[in-house]
Structure formats: structure tokens, C-alpha cells
Amino acid sequence: MAIKKWKEEKFCRSCGQFGLTSILDLGNQPPANAFLKKEELNRKESLFPLRVVVCSNCFLVQLQDTVDPEALFQRDYYYFTGASIPLVKHFEDFGKRISKELALSKKDLVVEMGSNDGVLLSAISPYARVLGVDPALNVGKEAKKRGIQTMQAFFGEKSANTILKKEGSARLILANNVFAHIADIHDVLKGISALLDSEGQFVAEMHWVGNLMGKGGFDQIYHEHIYYFSLHSLKYLIEEIHGLTLARVELIPIHGECLRIYVIKEKKVHSSVPNFLKKEKTLGLHKLKTYFTFGSGVNQTRNTLLKKITALRRAGKRIVGYGAPAKGNTLLNYFKIGPEILNYIIDTTEAKQGTYTPGSHIPVISPDMLKKERPDYILLLSWNYAEAILEKEKELRSQGVKFIIPVPNVRIV
Ligand code: DWN
């Protein structure tokens, strides 16, 4: 798969400040969701710099380089929300909650950008008219099986106006794990302002830079994730630049810790916003020097993990990977872990089974393999679902199989 292009940014993508300060360099890496088919293994993979910088004006942490989105979110996107049961439950619970909170009815339109396989919208569709927006063709087909219509496009001002003309304004616009993925964030916010009705809400979930800083979630850094927001940098972008109101915030325990923000047109702010800004101030997220510790835990995690798994391999232990998340590919490639360490990785996503991880070329296979041969150790690459997975695999654990959890610090359970 020849990936077309990338470019280095010299200015902050949010406030336009010149001169971004480098805080972590994870080297040249392939896109984290660019799983390979067997016949692609011998082809040269496109690698791109994975460099994290921070703006000294609005403190937005972002990637130095933008990779062509047409290539990252290509026609066949390998990530399906529905493959992770804990995530399905998370979105089903939220879908019901927000529908009741907003007293949605069938006259209301709900639009989700990056709607993937329609898991969230199918929880809202009993209450309101719903429309997904996603550039990838294959996930849209999965959404259709759930009865969710998807517009195959990137969300922005143009696609928002198309929806406005055809369907009217939106009472609710959703963006889960996508708001941090779009380089031209101003185009997205212009689209939201155009499409959202005067009483409407824009609700988005995204990883929180405070979690990456303090808890070593460095593996959430990959080319799809252009922004690593603090509430401070979000408020500047949404209010100072786009004149909307960041009205409410929640910290939610998904993908480590994520922010869920509520944005409206009127000037009304819940106490959660000033309280959270105070919390960020105590963490020093409004000071440049704080970000110089961004990568501090990464090398320690790498040394500890490599020492443990090398010793286990030397002792003849069999180690496999559990979950083939995008974040796992950042970790495998940065730590240079390949098939000589992990015999294979199991994953519940059918589309990933039979492929190979980008860069590290480890085979991804069905979880059924665990029933055929029992490994000695399992490296939990989907550490963000550790609780649910350890519960699900308690039988395996009772037979003596140990799980190695790499993030936030290496531990064997
Ligand atoms: O922003 C994004 C994040 C939030 O989600 C997207 N760029 C893509 C995706 O990133 P990810 O691939 O790191 O997300 P997950 O949800 O941590 O991926 C979990 C992977 O683990 C999936 O491939 C499914 C798999 N899995 C499994 O094999 N067995 C998951 C569970 C819960 C399991 O029991």
C-alpha cells in the first residue's frame, strides 16, 4: 500500500503560533492501523516520523507531522468498535443516557462523525433520527447491518452543509475518538457551528493529555491521533477561536482516561469546567516545562518490559499478544518487538485475523487459538480493557497462564 504524502507543520494547528516545541520522538513508524495481508509483507512499508510537539501559546500537544488522511482512514479501516465488548457497553450506556437527558424525539436529528460500525447510533436510533458520517467504506457496511445510514465522507464544513440542506439542523452532534484525528480542526468546528441548531449540543470523547503525561500512555501516540488535548487547549480552540461554549466536561475511564466535552452555542458553563481547569493547573498543564516530562516513563517501560520478556524467552517460555489495537503497534514498533518474541497476537476483530501487524509483522489470529495451545505468558496489548479481559480469561489464568500488562507500568498478574 503506497501511502501518498505527509508534511511537517511549523505552526500550531489551533492558534497559529509559529515554532512548536519538541517533547517526544518515537521515530519513523508505519500507520498504526495499516495491517498487512500476507502478500504485502515483502513490499516496502511507508514509514513516517512520529514526533510530538507542544504549542507554547495555547499548550496544545500535537504531532509535528500530518500524514495524508486519505491513506490513514483508507477504504478498508481495520478498527471496529463492535469488536470490543466493553466499548460496546460504554457506548450503549451513553447512547441511552444522552437520549434521555436531551429528551430526544423523532423530530430531532443526531449526527455522528467517525461513526464507524454504528454501535453508538444504534443505541440512539430508537429515540431520534440518526446519520453516521465516516470515510471508510467497510465500517459503513457494518453500520448498515445495524440499520444505520452512513454518509461516506470526512466531516467538515462542506459535508455539514450538505446534511443541513438535506436533513435540517442537528440537535446533537457526536464525535468519539475522532475529534483528535482531523488535522483541519477549524473546518470541523465550522461544520459543527453550521449544522448544530441553537439548542443543540456537540459531545465528543477524546484521550486526555493528562493521562498520557502521568500514566505513560505513550502508545496512544500514532499518526491517526494528531491532537492530545487538555481542557485548557480545547477551551482556547472552541471559545477564543470559534466562539462556541465549552459548557461541561467529564473524565471517563475508557482508553485509559478520556475527556468527554459538551459544547453549546449559548454562554452557559457548568462548574465541572472551572473545576477541571483547576485540576489541570495543579498538574502544570498550562506550563511548557511540564511537557518536557512527557516521554519520561516511556524508556523506563521499554527497558523493564524488554528485560522481562527476554528473560522469559531465554527460559523457553511461550509468549503471545492479546489484542491487536492501534496503540499496540506503536508499542511493538518503538520497542522493536517482533515475531521472535511474540509467536502471534489474538484479536476478536475478524477483519484483523489473518493479517500481520504493521512494521513488526506479527501474525494476528482468532482467539480460538488459545483453546488449542496454551501459552505460558500473554502480553496484554489491549491493556485499556484489562479488567474485562482478566475476568473473561480467568479459566486460563487458573491454569497458570500469566498476563504481562505493559502500561502504565509493567506488571505480571
Ligand atoms: O482513536 C482510536 C482508539 C480510541 O480506538 C482509534 N484510532 C482506533 C482505536 O484504537 P485502538 O485500536 O488502540 O483501540 P482499542 O479499542 O483499544 O482496540 C482494542 C483491540 O483489542 C481491538 O482490535 C479488539 C481487541 N480486543 C480483543 O481482541 N479482545 C478487545 C477486547 C476487549 C477483547 O476482549
Side-chain angles (χ1 to χ4, degrees), residues 144-217:
K144 205 172 169 71
K145 290 179 192 164
R146 288 189 166 89
I148 302 300
Q149 190 199 342
T150 305
M151 176 185 183
Q152 196 203 341
F154 286 95
F155 185 89
E157 195 171 16
K158 185 164 171 281
S159 51
N161 280 311
T162 305
I163 298 169
L164 184 64
K165 278 197 198 79
K166 201 158 160 268
E167 308 287 344
S169 60
R171 179 82 172 72
L172 176 62
I173 299 176
L174 297 160
N176 294 307
N177 308 310
V178 62
F179 192 64
H181 298 47
I182 304 173
D184 188 350
I185 197 72
H186 297 300
D187 182 46
V188 173
L189 281 160
K190 283 180 199 151
I192 291 164
S193 298
L195 182 57
L196 200 61
D197 70 30
S198 53
E199 304 294 309
Q201 289 198 22
F202 165 57
V203 183
E205 285 178 21
M206 63 204 78
H207 35 276
W208 176 49
V209 73
N211 176 247
L212 272 69
M213 296 285 298
K215 301 183 183 147

Side-chain angles (χ1 to χ4, degrees), residues 33 77 79 83-87 177-178 181 207 220 222 224-225 255 322-328 346-349 352 367 382 384-385 389 392:
N33 270 313
Y77 189 52
Y79 183 76
S84 300
I85 293 169
L87 202 55
N177 308 310
V178 62
H181 298 47
H207 35 276
Q220 308 237 25
Y222 42 89
E224 288 181 23
H225 290 169
H255 297 300
Y322 196 113
K327 65 173 78 64
I346 63 156
D347 194 287
T348 48
T349 314
K352 291 181 183 175
S382 298
N384 46 316
Y385 301 119
I389 290 172
K392 181 166 89 166

Side-chain angles (χ1 to χ4, degrees), residues 69-290:
E70 290 288 337
L72 293 180
F73 305 101
Q74 66 276 20
R75 289 165 53 85
D76 287 340
Y77 189 52
Y78 279 100
Y79 183 76
F80 289 78
T81 307
S84 300
I85 293 169
L87 202 55
V88 171
K89 184 170 182 330
H90 168 74
F91 284 131
E92 284 177 349
D93 293 349
F94 175 68
K96 288 188 196 104
R97 188 193 114 185
I98 194 78
S99 300
K100 293 200 173 89
E101 250 180 37
L102 297 183
L104 292 179
S105 72
K106 284 295 183 186
K107 67 175 177 29
D108 292 320
L109 174 66
V110 176
V111 175
E112 182 183 14
M113 66 179 88
S115 49
N116 197 267
D117 54 7
V119 163
L120 176 55
L121 286 179
S122 51
I124 296 175
S125 60
Y127 304 93
R129 289 182 294 136
V130 297
L131 175 66
V133 181
D134 199 299
L137 205 55
N138 64 332
V139 290
K141 284 187 184 142
E142 274 309 299
K144 205 172 169 71
K145 290 179 192 164
R146 288 189 166 89
I148 302 300
Q149 190 199 342
T150 305
M151 176 185 183
Q152 196 203 341
F154 286 95
F155 185 89
E157 195 171 16
K158 185 164 171 281
S159 51
N161 280 311
T162 305
I163 298 169
L164 184 64
K165 278 197 198 79
K166 201 158 160 268
E167 308 287 344
S169 60
R171 179 82 172 72
L172 176 62
I173 299 176
L174 297 160
N176 294 307
N177 308 310
V178 62
F179 192 64
H181 298 47
I182 304 173
D184 188 350
I185 197 72
H186 297 300
D187 182 46
V188 173
L189 281 160
K190 283 180 199 151
I192 291 164
S193 298
L195 182 57
L196 200 61
D197 70 30
S198 53
E199 304 294 309
Q201 289 198 22
F202 165 57
V203 183
E205 285 178 21
M206 63 204 78
H207 35 276
W208 176 49
V209 73
N211 176 247
L212 272 69
M213 296 285 298
K215 301 183 183 147
F218 78 95
D219 54 350
Q220 308 237 25
I221 298 168
Y222 42 89
H223 300 104
E224 288 181 23
H225 290 169
I226 294 175
Y227 302 108
Y228 302 83
F229 284 111
S230 58
L231 192 68
H232 175 92
S233 58
L234 273 166
K235 188 167 161 53
Y236 188 97
L237 168 68
I238 288 164
E239 297 190 348
E240 303 298 316
I241 302 176
H242 286 273
L244 295 165
T245 304
L246 207 168
R248 191 169 134 207
V249 62
E250 294 165 340
L251 189 60
I252 50 176
I254 200 83
H255 297 300
E257 277 176 328
C258 278
L259 294 178
R260 179 186 287 146
I261 60 168
Y262 298 75
V263 177
I264 57 177
K265 289 189 171 176
E266 58 181 313
K267 305 287 175 220
K268 209 166 68 181
V269 179
H270 181 266
S271 59
S272 58
V273 171
N275 292 342
F276 200 87
L277 289 170
K278 272 195 216 109
K279 173 188 171 95
E280 290 194 336
K281 259 204 158 74
T282 56
L283 294 171
L285 295 188
H286 61 305
K287 286 188 195 133
L288 197 54
K289 67 178 171 54
T290 308

Side-chain angles (χ1 to χ4, degrees), residues 292-326:
F292 295 134
T293 65
F294 190 83
S296 57
V298 183
N299 293 327
Q300 186 181 334
T301 302
R302 173 166 60 177
N303 299 339
T304 311
L305 182 63
L306 290 181
K307 209 163 145 216
K308 274 191 198 300
I309 51 180
T310 309
L312 290 171
R313 288 300 287 189
R314 284 213 180 106
K317 300 297 181 190
R318 283 170 309 159
I319 314 174
V320 302
Y322 196 113

